[in-house]
Amino acid sequence: MTESQLIGASKEDIDTPALLLDLDILDGNIARMAALAADTGIALRPHVKTHKSPLIAHRQLAAGAAGVCCAKVSEAEVMVAGGILDVLVTTPVVAPEKIRRLISLARQATVGVVADDLRNVRNLSEAARAEKTTLDLLVEIDVGQHRCGVAPGPAAADLADEIARLPGLRLRGFQGYHGALQQVVDLDRRSADIRQALDLLLESANVARRRGHAIEVLTGGGTGSSATDIGFHGLTELQPGSYVFMDCNYSRIHWGPDGALVLFGNAISIWTSVVSCTSADRIVVDAGWKSASCDSGVPILKAIDGATFSFAGDEHGKLSVPEGTRIAAGDKVELVPSHCDTTVNLYDRYVCVRNGKVEALWPVAARGKTQ
Amino acid sequence: MTESQLIGASKEDIDTPALLLDLDILDGNIARMAALAADTGIALRPHVKTHKSPLIAHRQLAAGAAGVCCAKVSEAEVMVAGGILDVLVTTPVVAPEKIRRLISLARQATVGVVADDLRNVRNLSEAARAEKTTLDLLVEIDVGQHRCGVAPGPAAADLADEIARLPGLRLRGFQGYHGALQQVVDLDRRSADIRQALDLLLESANVARRRGHAIEVLTGGGTGSSATDIGFHGLTELQPGSYVFMDCNYSRIHWGPDGALVLFGNAISIWTSVVSCTSADRIVVDAGWKSASCDSGVPILKAIDGATFSFAGDEHGKLSVPEGTRIAAGDKVELVPSHCDTTVNLYDRYVCVRNGKVEALWPVAARGKTQ
């Protein structure tokens, strides 16, 4: 079966391993996040590092997103080439070659970038000025993750001062992101942690505003903090990524006070075949570390209650199923990835399904674009 | 700098993250493994799941390899299309669509496949017969890994009986592979375990030979067992993959009785840049889970004594360096992957360097070919 012949085929006919994308669930997730933000005055700027697809970004924009976030310049290049004309690069861009490419993008689209270093800000200014363009700059603030970002408060405002006075740059605001908070399971605990991180960002904005800066944008947050962030009304812009697809890890966290409510559905899965089944405890499938990321644990088996998956090498996984489960070589099963972003990055395309039929094949256009 | 402009450039000019391949070390590794097997009568059939590149496979063949191993049909397709005309698929091929593709390959090249299931063997026979071609079959035997493979001894010989009498199939021999043994650190312990696994394979071959089968091929082994396997003279064919590149995990195992000798050099590395360095304990690089696999631990930093790398998300890593180390945003460093196969599978190309200069760009042609 050629690629185009696959359109309209049933799910059973899809060769494995494959990355399935359920379009109904995808559309539901996009609509649900859009509804959360609607009428709150808080803009949605979804992070495309999860899906790496301009096609999905266009759906997010159609549902009301203000633009997108990209992790790297090469990812932003794929988005702009795919018609996404408002991108924020959420990691500092330091290398001269990358700065040059960022400036070229800024002539084709609205491009923002974060920075946490004075020398870097000066280089960005010089490059933008030389190309007679203007780059939107946001100061990245360390709100507790201790990764990138300047210290909150006066240090953040100091860098804002420099950005404001340098040619070629437009100071837009501050970014504060705290990845580890996103998956704190308990909602009360997570909300308290999010509040603490947000306060560091708001405090920094206040210092900068007292110095006369506009600080129009306070951007940050992710899927796990989204509902809480919207409730706090502190950020002007939300950066959730994983909500479009969800994964086992995000499914574990509590989304409501009852600990049960999950806002988003699992839209992607790994379609895998049993290739060997020599005994009830030796059920081997064709998906291993090259087909499912393991940075955040193991995928979960769909549809077979009590069954579990374990990695068995680069190219193999093993299933453990309850006694009496009928399963044989050739059977296909679905796994929900433990981490959607890193699993998607292993595949060249989504096999898009709706009601069990293949509707489209979408490239993971920015796959491997880590530069 | 365009792709072709990169040829001849210095390593410092390579954009990050990138997968560097040192051609001198690669050539040395290929020559060293070839020398181990030379004049022993044991054939080398390197596993291409490590490098996924017909160009590297051609170098292995030029150094004396008899053919290559592939993990999957789609990987074999890339090899045959790249001019590699003797491939063994080391995982059972079960789906009707994949069997059809395997048979097509068998008309273009010498193609073997392993099997551990009677129904599968019958399907392979039927498909080969219908296309008027012959497929080489090897019985996969479980020599202790408890993944794929029939039980050693009579069960293995029973499947051999069936293969021998079915049309379209040529019984070539047995495969016995035990991945977990490859990285047993202590050489004596590893050798003893390898002996035990080998004996299960030899015993199975003896049963089959007593039933009148030729059993010309006994194939298995990997990088960690290679020297020992050659010493035992039991296998007729070795399947090492990782030796071409090596990685941190294989560097840890003992290669000689003194526990120090390492036979192969680290040929690949992850080239990464510092993108943020707001304090001595916040050195952030642009390589995270999307640029280095983590299934087998963390990469090791080259060139900075006492420095360590830790993952800090999909797109970020953090360095911990000894006090007084001079390092700043924009600096580039090299990481040795913990697991070469799964790291290579994240990249679209090798940036091939020799003496610090870019000599070639080679595609990772079978990247993502897990089908």
Side-chain angles (χ1 to χ4, degrees):
Chain A
M1 192 176 293
T2 65
E3 287 288 286
S4 55
Q5 281 180 308
L6 199 55
I7 306 293
S10 99
K11 202 166 104 176
E12 278 302 319
D13 293 329
I14 302 168
D15 192 23
T16 62
L19 182 65
L20 305 185
L21 170 56
D22 186 303
L23 294 177
D24 281 337
I25 302 178
L26 171 75
D27 289 343
N29 289 346
I30 290 173
R32 214 157 291 124
M33 185 62 88
L36 271 180
D39 306 322
T40 63
I42 299 172
L44 268 189
R45 182 179 287 279
H47 213 307
V48 304
K49 77 183 183 69
T50 303
H51 57 68
K52 290 177 166 283
S53 158
L55 291 172
I56 297 176
H58 279 296
R59 288 182 178 231
Q60 292 172 311
L61 293 176
V68 302
C69 294
C70 298
K72 305 287 183 79
V73 172
S74 59
E75 199 168 80
E77 287 170 337
V78 172
M79 287 300 139
V80 172
I84 306 299
L85 300 180
D86 189 331
V87 300
L88 169 65
V89 179
T90 59
T91 311
V93 174
V94 175
E97 144 132 15
K98 280 212 179 76
I99 290 177
R100 197 155 35 82
R101 287 159 56 187
L102 186 75
I103 300 295
S104 290
L105 275 189
R107 298 176 67 97
Q108 304 165 52
T110 302
V111 173
V113 66
V114 305
D116 64 4
D117 176 74
L118 180 56
R119 196 172 58 143
N120 180 218
V121 161
R122 286 181 180 149
N123 290 340
L124 291 166
S125 160
E126 208 166 295
R129 203 171 46 95
E131 291 295 324
K132 299 185 176 53
T133 188
T134 305
L135 200 59
D136 285 350
L137 254 283
L138 291 96
V139 176
E140 171 147 33
I141 297 176
D142 175 18
V143 293
Q145 177 157 239
H146 305 330
R147 199 169 64 180
C148 300
V150 295
D158 290 350
L159 193 55
D161 289 344
E162 292 291 333
I163 293 168
R165 69 169 195 79
L166 284 168
L169 305 182
R170 180 169 39 223
L171 174 68
R172 291 282 292 152
F174 291 167
Q175 171 178 281
Y177 178 72
H178 195 330
L181 299 192
Q182 299 301 321
Q183 296 185 346
V184 171
V185 172
D186 180 75
L187 180 62
D188 288 340
R189 170 74 200 284
R190 193 163 77 249
S191 296
D193 291 349
I194 292 163
R195 182 75 243 180
Q196 206 171 8
L198 177 63
D199 284 343
L200 294 173
L201 193 67
L202 294 175
E203 172 203 323
S204 307
N206 286 338
V207 177
R209 282 175 182 139
R210 282 196 297 268
R211 295 190 193 176
H213 301 299
I215 311 297
E216 291 159 17
V217 178
L218 293 177
T219 186
T223 294
S225 68
S226 50
T228 313
D229 279 324
I230 286 167
F232 285 150
H233 276 277
L235 298 175
T236 68
E237 191 175 89
L238 280 186
Q239 302 187 352
S242 301
Y243 76 96
V244 278
F245 295 153
M246 285 295 285
D247 54 34
C248 302
N249 272 344
Y250 267 123
S251 299
R252 264 183 220 117
I253 71 170
H254 299 170
W255 294 85
D258 58 354
L261 178 73
V262 175
L263 290 180
F264 306 100
N266 284 308
I268 56 168
S269 57
I270 299 155
W271 190 227
T272 180
S273 296
V274 177
V275 291
S276 174
C277 186
T278 53
S279 70
D281 63 343
R282 310 248 171 103
I283 307 164
V284 180
V285 295
D286 60 0
W289 291 320
K290 286 181 183 168
S291 304
S293 65
C294 63
D295 54 80
S296 306
V298 290
I300 288 177
L301 254 162
K302 269 173 93 162
I304 306 179
D305 281 342
T308 57
F309 168 90
S310 57
F311 286 103
D314 301 9
E315 319 275 358
H316 300 87
K318 280 175 95 170
L319 306 185
S320 166
V321 300
E323 222 182 295
T325 304
R326 287 171 60 97
I327 194 157
D331 287 355
K332 294 176 179 174
V333 296
E334 250 177 291
L335 306 172
V336 180
S338 53
H339 186 181
C340 52
D341 303 51
T342 45
T343 294
V344 166
N345 191 49
L346 297 169
Y347 290 85
D348 290 316
R349 58 161 204 198
Y350 298 99
V351 182
C352 305
V353 294
R354 204 189 299 263
N355 301 323
K357 287 223 177 300
V358 178
E359 184 164 308
L361 301 171
W362 289 352
V364 184
R367 199 219 70 74
K369 295 297 182 191
T370 55
Q371 297 76 33
Chain B
M1 191 177 293
T2 66
E3 287 288 284
S4 55
Q5 281 180 309
L6 200 56
I7 307 293
S10 100
K11 203 166 103 175
E12 278 303 320
D13 293 329
I14 302 167
D15 192 25
T16 63
L19 183 65
L20 304 185
L21 171 56
D22 187 303
L23 294 179
D24 281 337
I25 302 177
L26 171 74
D27 289 343
N29 289 345
I30 289 173
R32 215 158 290 126
M33 185 60 89
L36 271 179
D39 307 321
T40 63
I42 299 173
L44 268 189
R45 183 179 285 279
H47 214 306
V48 305
K49 77 183 183 70
T50 303
H51 57 66
K52 291 178 166 283
S53 157
L55 291 172
I56 297 176
H58 279 296
R59 288 182 176 231
Q60 292 172 313
L61 293 176
V68 302
C69 295
C70 298
K72 306 285 182 81
V73 172
S74 60
E75 201 169 77
E77 287 170 335
V78 172
M79 288 299 138
V80 173
I84 307 299
L85 300 180
D86 189 330
V87 300
L88 169 65
V89 179
T90 60
T91 310
V93 174
V94 175
E97 144 132 15
K98 281 212 179 74
I99 291 178
R100 197 154 36 82
R101 287 159 55 186
L102 187 75
I103 299 295
S104 291
L105 275 189
R107 298 177 68 97
Q108 305 166 51
T110 302
V111 173
V113 67
V114 305
D116 65 4
D117 177 74
L118 180 57
R119 196 172 57 141
N120 180 217
V121 161
R122 287 182 179 150
N123 291 339
L124 290 166
S125 161
E126 206 165 297
R129 203 171 45 93
E131 291 295 323
K132 300 185 176 48
T133 188
T134 305
L135 200 59
D136 285 350
L137 254 283
L138 292 97
V139 176
E140 171 147 34
I141 297 177
D142 176 19
V143 292
Q145 177 158 241
H146 305 331
R147 200 169 62 182
C148 300
V150 294
D158 290 350
L159 194 54
D161 290 343
E162 292 291 334
I163 293 169
R165 68 165 198 79
L166 283 168
L169 305 182
R170 179 168 42 219
L171 174 67
R172 293 281 294 149
F174 290 168
Q175 171 177 281
Y177 177 73
H178 195 329
L181 300 191
Q182 298 300 323
Q183 296 186 345
V184 172
V185 172
D186 180 74
L187 180 62
D188 289 340
R189 171 73 201 285
R190 192 162 77 249
S191 297
D193 290 350
I194 292 164
R195 182 76 244 180
Q196 205 171 8
L198 177 63
D199 284 343
L200 294 173
L201 193 66
L202 294 175
E203 172 204 322
S204 307
N206 287 338
V207 177
R209 282 177 184 137
R210 283 197 297 268
R211 295 191 193 174
H213 300 300
I215 311 298
E216 292 158 18
V217 179
L218 293 177
T219 187
T223 294
S225 69
S226 49
T228 312
D229 279 323
I230 286 167
F232 285 149
H233 277 276
L235 297 177
T236 68
E237 190 175 88
L238 281 184
Q239 303 187 349
S242 301
Y243 77 97
V244 279
F245 295 153
M246 286 293 285
D247 54 33
C248 303
N249 272 344
Y250 267 123
S251 299
R252 262 183 223 118
I253 71 169
H254 298 171
W255 293 85
D258 58 353
L261 179 73
V262 174
L263 291 181
F264 305 99
N266 284 309
I268 55 166
S269 56
I270 299 155
W271 190 228
T272 179
S273 297
V274 178
V275 292
S276 174
C277 186
T278 54
S279 70
D281 63 342
R282 311 248 172 102
I283 306 165
V284 180
V285 295
D286 60 0
W289 291 319
K290 286 181 184 167
S291 303
S293 65
C294 64
D295 53 81
S296 306
V298 290
I300 287 177
L301 253 161
K302 268 174 95 161
I304 307 178
D305 281 342
T308 57
F309 169 88
S310 56
F311 286 102
D314 302 9
E315 319 275 358
H316 299 88
K318 281 175 94 170
L319 307 184
S320 165
V321 299
E323 222 182 294
T325 305
R326 286 170 60 97
I327 195 158
D331 288 356
K332 292 175 179 176
V333 295
E334 252 178 290
L335 306 172
V336 179
S338 53
H339 186 182
C340 52
D341 303 51
T342 45
T343 294
V344 165
N345 191 48
L346 297 170
Y347 290 86
D348 290 315
R349 58 158 203 201
Y350 298 99
V351 183
C352 304
V353 293
R354 204 189 299 263
N355 300 323
K357 286 221 178 301
V358 178
E359 185 165 306
L361 301 171
W362 288 352
V364 184
R367 198 219 71 73
K369 295 296 182 191
T370 54
Q371 296 76 32

